[in-house]
Amino acid sequence: MEKFLELEGGYLVIGFFILAITLFVTTRPFFAKGAVVKGLSYVGLFLVVVIGMHYKITTDRMASVKSAFKEGKTIICESRATRKVAQSVDVNINREWVLEGDVFSSVNYGRVFHTARCLVK
């Protein structure tokens, strides 16, 4: 559950905001009486499916990144710190990178990278 909240927390906040907007709109007098229940049901179901799919895809990618890293393959991680020059960093076990849980770190690099923001090269 902790990993789900870590990865999807922002999307859950956005989803609750969308549900609040749906509730506000469907309670207007020009909507039919059952519109609140139908609107919240359909929008809520859609959000559950989309957020669930995103979580599944992200965790599958994280698993493939972890296994590729352990095999010695190069991993590309997004660097949000530098937007103008190098927007990605190559992570490799042979370049003194270490995988601790879901995070890549190196003594030669000041930042850490979460495996959810990385791809196999």
Side-chain angles (χ1 to χ4, degrees):
M1 185 65 168
E2 181 180 331
K3 184 185 277 191
F4 178 78
L5 291 176
E6 177 184 349
L7 295 174
E8 305 299 323
Y11 297 115
L12 290 173
V13 171
I14 292 169
F16 285 126
F17 181 71
I18 291 170
L19 286 173
I21 291 172
T22 303
L23 179 64
F24 177 76
V25 170
T26 55
T27 55
R28 300 299 95 200
F30 50 85
F31 273 93
K33 288 223 183 241
V36 174
V37 174
K38 284 183 183 177
L40 289 177
S41 297
Y42 290 134
V43 172
L45 180 64
F46 173 76
L47 291 172
V48 166
V49 169
V50 171
I51 292 172
M53 284 177 26
H54 184 267
Y55 177 73
K56 175 73 171 131
I57 291 168
T58 302
T59 53
D60 288 348
R61 186 180 66 243
M62 288 170 60
S64 69
V65 165
K66 287 180 183 180
S67 65
F69 178 76
K70 290 176 184 175
E71 294 171 5
K73 295 181 181 175
T74 301
I75 308 299
I76 301 172
C77 293
E78 176 186 19
S79 177
R80 294 183 178 178
T82 55
R83 287 285 186 193
K84 295 183 180 167
V85 184
Q87 292 187 356
S88 64
V89 174
D90 289 344
V91 174
N92 193 307
I93 199 166
N94 300 327
R95 295 185 191 151
E96 299 181 6
W97 284 91
V98 179
L99 178 62
E100 298 169 356
D102 291 330
V103 177
F104 291 115
S105 62
S106 174
V107 294
N108 300 324
Y109 200 79
R111 293 192 69 229
V112 296
F113 296 98
H114 198 283
T115 55
R117 307 294 171 245
C118 299
L119 298 170
V120 179
K121 188 169 186 180

